[in-house]
Amino acid sequence: MDFDHVMRSQHDSPSSVRTEEVTSDVRKGPWTAEEDALLANHVKIHGEGRWNLVARRAGLKRTGKSCRLRWLNYLRPDLRRGNMTLEEQLLILELHCRWGNRWSKIAQHLPGRTDNEVKNYWRTRVQKLAKHLKCDVNSKQFRDTMRCVWMPRFMEQIRASTGQFQASAQGPSDRPAEDPPRTHGIGSGYPVYDDHRDSLPELSPSVSSSDSSDPRFSSSPSPNQAGGIGSECFGLGLGDGPNYWTGCAQWWQPGVDAGEQEDSNGCLVGEDSLESLWNEEDAWFLQQQLLE
DNA sequence: AATTCCGCCAACCGCAGGTTC
DNA sequence: TGAACCTGCGGTTGGCGGAAT
């Protein structure tokens, strides 16, 4: 029997339900350590969901909404902390190209990251760069610059840092039989998408992992290459759903500092960032785009 | 040393869609 | 069937800390 059902059958009644925000002394603002402990303890025992009930039963003078947000964005044990890794930044760029401001959907592909984090990253980093380049973050020019300039640079840096891209590009037959499906990684244990395609529209016409010349690993595409600027230069072959991230269960261990974690596992720390990839070439690229 | 500016991020708000009664 | 309520999402804001002046 699930928590929802238990809570409903045991505690709900027409008079006890629907009392959200009836109490006038609803607390707002930063959470205290005591509140965190109350919420975490309650969720640990009873599970997630029914947040209004959680708020009341845990003795919190918070709205259910507030409790849910605090849990999802801060207290969840599987949350990651620290800077975005190169892989994560690359993934955000790619997924945003595909889905736009669907933060929660994008966050689903970044284990341990929240939609709030992804959204904040986008607003503080990516939009800042768009401002630098004096163009709209949603403009075609900016998106093309992301796809055709920054993303190849990210890939190049990832490749340079790990030297494992080639291994990742190997066909399925090169994978050990016990490999979790669809999760061969850029860095050790970090998943990369392959041919298990979802029902989403593709960025590129066809990308198959069995293709040893997988275009997703090609870097620095020239404006004249097939597809060209303005077309979908990159198809990472993104999948949909948690299956793609099973490698991360091994890669990420809760309770360990993110930086240490990544270092010890050979994964990239977030020292390299979008900002570090920006240079005057991008302004030139944009200018060329506008001239076309 | 004091003040101002700016970036980051936690938290709130409003809305939409789903669920319950 | 419709009102009340719940949940989740995306946009926005306010506070804090560090950098710049």
Side-chain angles (χ1 to χ4, degrees):
Chain A
M1 186 182 290
D2 64 72
F3 170 66
D4 223 30
H5 184 81
V6 171
M7 297 302 274
R8 206 186 313 284
S9 60
Q10 288 183 347
H11 305 294
D12 283 4
S13 68
S15 59
S16 66
V17 192
R18 301 172 184 189
T19 53
E20 153 117 43
E21 292 160 41
V22 166
T23 50
S24 56
D25 57 340
V26 174
R27 262 185 62 81
K28 290 184 181 179
W31 280 64
T32 65
E34 191 185 356
E35 287 177 311
D36 280 346
L38 282 171
L39 178 57
N41 195 44
H42 194 276
V43 173
K44 190 177 175 184
I45 294 169
H46 298 290
E48 299 178 37
R50 306 288 291 173
W51 294 106
N52 287 319
L53 209 54
V54 167
R56 279 183 288 125
R57 290 181 57 79
L60 291 161
K61 291 179 177 177
R62 297 274 183 174
T63 64
K65 257 183 171 183
S66 182
C67 291
R68 174 183 166 270
L69 210 61
R70 184 63 176 173
W71 174 257
L72 293 177
N73 288 344
Y74 192 81
L75 295 174
R76 251 168 54 200
D78 60 335
L79 281 180
R80 297 196 58 205
R81 305 272 176 207
N83 294 336
M84 294 279 182
T85 64
L86 277 176
E87 292 94 332
E88 286 173 325
Q89 294 178 71
L90 175 61
L91 204 48
I92 289 171
L93 294 185
E94 164 71 17
L95 292 175
H96 190 274
C97 281
R98 178 177 295 208
W99 292 319
N101 297 0
R102 302 286 306 280
W103 307 119
S104 65
K105 190 162 186 168
I106 293 171
Q108 283 172 11
H109 292 274
L110 294 152
R113 300 293 188 185
T114 67
D115 55 349
N116 215 27
E117 244 179 323
V118 174
K119 183 169 55 181
N120 282 333
Y121 170 79
W122 185 264
R123 294 185 65 83
T124 59
R125 309 295 180 83
V126 182
Q127 289 197 346
K128 187 176 78 177
L129 285 181
K131 199 176 163 186
H132 265 294
L133 296 169
K134 296 184 173 66
C135 65
D136 186 83
V137 75
N138 292 316
S139 68
K140 181 177 176 297
Q141 286 79 22
F142 186 75
R143 292 161 74 91
D144 285 341
T145 306
M146 278 200 302
R147 284 206 191 101
C148 301
V149 178
W150 290 334
M151 286 162 71
R153 286 184 201 158
F154 266 123
M155 290 184 184
E156 195 58 50
Q157 286 208 9
I158 293 168
R159 190 212 302 264
S161 301
T162 66
Q164 292 185 23
F165 248 117
Q166 280 183 325
S168 300
Q170 289 173 348
S173 60
D174 297 326
R175 267 181 258 158
E178 65 273 19
D179 261 9
R182 327 299 182 195
T183 58
H184 48 295
I186 294 172
S188 59
Y190 214 105
V192 169
Y193 304 99
D194 69 1
D195 57 337
H196 183 75
R197 317 311 296 277
D198 53 32
S199 58
L200 295 161
E202 296 298 340
L203 274 182
S204 55
S206 64
V207 177
S208 165
S209 71
S210 60
D211 180 359
S212 60
S213 60
D214 192 332
R216 98 186 79 143
F217 299 116
S218 68
S219 61
S220 304
S222 80
N224 296 324
Q225 80 179 74
I229 294 169
S231 71
E232 309 295 357
C233 301
F234 291 94
L236 291 183
L238 296 172
D240 197 12
N243 287 350
Y244 294 91
W245 295 100
T246 53
C248 279
Q250 301 154 354
W251 166 68
W252 172 249
Q253 298 163 21
V256 182
D257 173 78
E260 286 176 27
Q261 179 75 26
E262 287 159 11
D263 283 340
S264 63
N265 286 281
C267 207
L268 295 173
V269 292
E271 234 172 76
D272 293 306
S273 65
L274 192 57
E275 290 92 326
S276 70
L277 298 179
W278 183 86
N279 59 35
E280 64 281 357
E281 192 183 315
D282 303 334
W284 177 87
F285 183 88
L286 269 175
Q287 197 177 11
Q288 297 303 306
Q289 285 267 69
L290 289 166
L291 289 173
E292 278 182 2

